[in-house]
Amino acid sequence: MKLVTPDLCDAYPDDVRIVEPMFTNYGGRVAFGGEIITIKCHEDNSLVKEHVAKPGAGRIMVVDGGGSLRCALLGDMLAEKAAENQWAGLIIYGCIRDVDEIRKTDLGVQALRTIPIKSNRKGRGDLNIPVTFGGVTFHPGEFVYADNNGIIVSSRELSMPE
């Protein structure tokens, strides 16, 4: 079944929150959706690295990098590890790098921009707390859906209309 965010918005207008249009789709999986886990970090992708190595079970990692454009919170090696561990995707309020390789990876990835410099790892960040960006608060356990049309969030799992 193909995921299309406009169709979900039309079918569930009272159940979706729309993220402001600021993200670009970089992953090999153009449309993706699933249950949210959140990471809040600033220019430190330690928690991202730790969690892509764990079973994703089709979930989406929503990473609040504070909108920083100074370093990447995801690169090709972490994206490959996430795909191997069955993460459906990552939404990063910040930058990524190694975009050409990430485009070849079976993983949904949306981010603000790209930059070639990696982040510093100092072990800082918060896991599974509500994070807010793009006019929406993302709560762990909610659901997010993303494609080339945009990103939407729902407190319940949605299915594509027939």
Side-chain angles (χ1 to χ4, degrees):
M1 176 170 32
K2 184 176 178 184
L3 171 80
V4 182
T5 57
D7 291 348
L8 290 173
C9 288
D10 292 350
Y12 305 99
D14 298 328
D15 293 321
V16 297
R17 302 184 310 273
I18 312 301
V19 178
E20 294 169 0
M22 61 179 83
F23 289 86
T24 300
N25 211 343
Y26 293 104
R29 188 179 293 179
V30 176
F32 58 100
E35 185 178 347
I36 295 170
I37 76 149
T38 65
I39 291 176
K40 185 174 180 84
C41 57
H42 184 72
E43 299 178 2
D44 180 343
N45 71 347
S46 299
L47 283 177
V48 175
K49 181 180 182 191
E50 178 183 332
H51 282 81
V52 297
K54 296 179 179 181
R59 292 175 294 167
I60 310 296
M61 192 180 302
V62 176
V63 181
D64 180 356
S68 172
L69 303 179
R70 294 192 294 232
C71 66
L73 296 176
L74 180 75
D76 61 338
M77 293 188 309
L78 295 185
E80 183 61 37
K81 182 62 74 177
E84 287 171 12
N85 287 313
Q86 303 301 308
W87 288 91
L90 290 92
I91 296 171
I92 299 179
Y93 185 51
C95 289
I96 66 168
R97 67 187 202 160
D98 303 315
V99 217
D100 295 332
E101 290 304 312
I102 289 174
R103 285 194 201 285
K104 299 174 191 172
T105 305
D106 184 22
L107 181 71
V109 177
Q110 290 213 12
L112 295 178
R113 302 250 170 78
T114 63
I115 193 166
I117 190 166
K118 67 180 179 177
S119 80
N120 292 315
R121 290 196 186 122
K122 298 179 181 175
R124 297 184 185 143
D126 295 301
L127 176 67
N128 279 333
I129 62 168
V131 297
T132 302
F133 56 83
V136 170
T137 298
F138 298 80
H139 297 274
E142 289 188 324
F143 295 85
V144 65
Y145 304 91
D147 63 12
N148 284 328
N149 297 292
I151 301 170
I152 62 175
V153 180
S154 177
S155 59
R156 66 186 185 97
E157 190 169 14
L158 306 177
S159 58
M160 284 298 298
E162 303 222 4

